[in-house]
Amino acid sequence: MSGTITSASGPGRLSGLGVVLWREHRAMLGRWIARLRREPLTIAALLAQPMIWLLLFGHLFAGMANTASVPGDSYVQFMTAGAVVMTIFNACLQGGVELLFDRETGLLSRMFAAPVHRISIVSSRFVYLVALTSAQSAIILFAAYLIGVRYATGLAGIAACLAIGAAFGAGVTSLSMVLAFSLRSHSQFFPITGFVGLPLTFVSSALVPVDLMPSWMRVLAGLNPMTHAIDGVRSLVLHGWRLDVLAATAGALLLFDLCCLALAAWVLRRKLP
């Protein structure tokens, strides 16, 4: 009888914990969303940035499609995958700064004193960023469709593009959280992310095919997880369901996410009170 009671109470405790975590995440997500709603300029920037990546770079380098072996019927079609992944990268890389501001103002310490699981404060920001960047990616894909880009894999491929973007964003967000809890102030955060962000973007297949890069840049691009995310999305947009490319993308992003999450878990264990 006691064994039966124990086995029944175990799932009950897990179910109760799940409900508590859901409520905590819902409350914290409401905080991030409410903050975003109070900043209309931020909302406008988040909506405009994907269009800028797509239209500005798409037309700036449009002549490249006529003089070089750029895949796709147009450079805008080639650029769509790069615009999706670059937008996710920039948003997730800066995502941890809000927690850093909370640390500087003392709000994070007061939140840790509240009767909530500490990890919920961090993971809710993680979930918020993944949802936000997925919405931005959907806007890019819709805008690209309006200007003539057609997707070889249809609606299912668009869902797969969003999944690839979310997997890549998870790793980048983890690194941003590492910076947020490792640095002393936001004055250190922005120079580091600025220094890292631009080179990683250019040493990827976002703007030009890897085949057109110098040999030393090809090596760096092959080590860049952004390249693998872009290649997976681009394959879905231009070529269809190429399982070899998708398998390589999934493997590279899984390794990237595991390394980033392990680093974030180690830092959070040391920094969370």
Side-chain angles (χ1 to χ4, degrees), residues 72-73 77 80 141 145 148-161 232-242 246:
D73 297 331
Q77 190 161 350
T80 298
L141 295 171
Y145 181 84
V149 176
R150 295 298 177 262
Y151 304 106
T153 50
L155 290 177
I158 292 176
C161 289
V233 174
R234 184 169 289 144
S235 177
L236 292 168
V237 173
L238 299 180
H239 307 300
W241 299 98
R242 294 179 55 180
L246 295 178

Side-chain angles (χ1 to χ4, degrees), residues 13-29 115-121 123-124 127:
R13 286 197 297 269
L14 291 177
S15 176
L17 178 61
V19 172
V20 170
L21 290 176
W22 160 247
R23 290 175 178 172
E24 292 175 357
H25 279 72
R26 185 175 61 182
M28 295 301 301
L29 287 172
V116 297
H117 293 85
R118 288 165 173 75
I119 195 62
S120 296
I121 299 173
S123 58
S124 63
V127 173

